Amino acid sequence: MPEPVDAVEMQAALLRLRRASGLPVAFGGLLSDARHARIAELNGAQTTALRGLVITAGSGLGGKSIALSRPCAVTDYPSSRHISHEYDTAVAAEGLRSVVAVPVVVRRKVRGVLYGALREPLALGDRTFDAAVAAARDVEQALAVRDEVQQLMTVTRDQVTDPRAAPGAWEDVREAHRELRALVPKVADPALREELLSVCGLLASASGTSVPGARGVQLAPREIDVLACVAAGATNAVAADRLGLRPETVKGYLRAAMRKLGAHTRLEAVVAARRAGLLP
């Protein structure tokens, strides 16, 4: 699976950090193991001196933030006595002075680090810290979604391809299908979204309940999302909460799906969607 957070969510978070804080430079990267992060994304940098820099836990400002699992800042990086200075050459090449570093923490585990910086030795205020923490949380949420996607796809692929799977396992597959579809709108990376939808299609067709003559039905993605929730027994209100929609919007999608499927009840719509290979 690709690593979309590096290129997509990280860049988006860095841009939001700069806009919210007014800082001219932002950069960051994810950990490759428990102790090392690689600076992969730059926003506002004038050189490439920071790109590819490997930050070790405990070293420099970012390494201190990783080790302590909390935001850290210095007013004048080159002269600060509160950090070690392994990265002074790269920092000086970019002309950075005042810097804040914030760890990206997912389920109490540090997964990356974001920086914001000025080219002047000025104290950073609460607005800057709040913006940096908010940007880190954006990346945290993206990583948490990706983790959930990976776990669900691994489990569902095993279930679908295991010929010994018990009949009751299909209820787990259907639940995984619903959860995966609910995650799709939260994923920013197009390649990962396509992979998710591909797995959803695999799950929908793997149960063997589809009928060849019924496969011409086309539903909008959100109509399938709503039907997947309905198939799991969710009310319109529960489906709305799971999908981040208004109950009235859910009703509209459900009515449209029922019309396309020629169904008169919610149950008939679910059965027809399974026959069309749209739901597992």
Side-chain angles (χ1 to χ4, degrees):
M1 182 183 293
E3 296 291 335
V5 174
D6 275 345
V8 180
E9 290 293 346
M10 184 65 77
Q11 269 291 350
L14 295 178
L15 180 59
R16 286 192 291 268
L17 169 55
R18 288 187 62 202
R19 287 176 173 172
S21 67
L23 296 175
V25 185
F27 52 100
L30 301 183
L31 270 67
S32 57
D33 56 43
R35 290 185 53 79
H36 300 91
R38 178 178 175 274
I39 304 303
E41 301 299 330
L42 311 175
N43 196 296
Q46 296 177 348
T47 74
T48 59
L50 299 168
R51 187 179 297 280
L53 203 63
V54 177
I55 308 300
T56 302
S59 299
L61 182 66
K64 181 178 180 180
S65 179
I66 292 170
L68 297 178
S69 189
R70 63 175 175 81
C72 298
V74 294
T75 300
D76 190 18
Y77 194 103
S79 64
S80 176
R81 298 181 180 180
H82 302 292
I83 60 172
S84 59
H85 290 273
E86 293 87 346
Y87 312 110
D88 280 8
T89 300
V91 172
E94 186 58 43
L96 305 182
R97 302 292 294 276
S98 184
V99 186
V100 60
V102 181
V104 175
V105 184
V106 181
R107 297 184 182 91
R108 300 184 181 182
K109 181 180 179 182
V110 178
R111 299 279 293 277
V113 61
L114 301 186
Y115 299 81
L118 288 167
R119 295 188 173 90
E120 302 172 83
L122 300 175
L124 300 173
D126 291 342
R127 174 189 172 191
T128 299
F129 276 88
D130 291 346
V133 169
R137 285 177 179 164
D138 288 342
V139 180
E140 290 163 20
Q141 291 172 2
L143 284 171
V145 168
R146 192 183 72 187
D147 290 349
E148 189 172 355
V149 167
Q150 289 176 326
Q151 181 179 8
L152 281 170
M153 289 205 297
T154 298
V155 171
T156 52
R157 278 173 171 150
D158 290 345
Q159 288 173 324
V160 169
T161 57
D162 185 359
R164 299 166 297 176
W170 285 109
E171 291 307 314
D172 295 333
V173 170
R174 287 166 178 164
E175 179 64 15
H177 175 268
R178 182 193 64 74
E179 292 181 14
L180 283 171
R181 290 206 64 94
L183 286 172
V184 170
K186 301 177 183 179
V187 176
D189 181 69
L192 181 56
R193 279 203 307 271
E194 286 301 315
E195 186 172 0
L196 270 174
L197 291 172
S198 175
V199 172
C200 288
L202 173 66
L203 295 178
S205 61
S207 65
T209 58
S210 61
V211 177
R215 285 186 170 271
V217 179
Q218 297 291 328
L219 297 185
R222 274 311 203 186
E223 292 168 358
I224 299 175
D225 295 342
V226 168
L227 281 180
C229 289
V230 170
T235 63
N236 289 347
V238 171
D241 183 64
R242 288 177 177 175
L243 298 173
L245 300 172
R246 295 165 58 93
E248 294 79 7
T249 305
V250 167
K251 290 180 182 178
Y253 283 131
L254 182 57
R255 284 196 297 267
M258 291 172 62
R259 183 176 65 253
K260 293 176 184 179
L261 293 165
H264 298 91
T265 67
R266 297 158 68 92
L267 178 58
E268 285 182 8
V270 170
V271 172
R274 286 176 176 159
R275 287 176 176 172
L278 299 171
L279 292 178

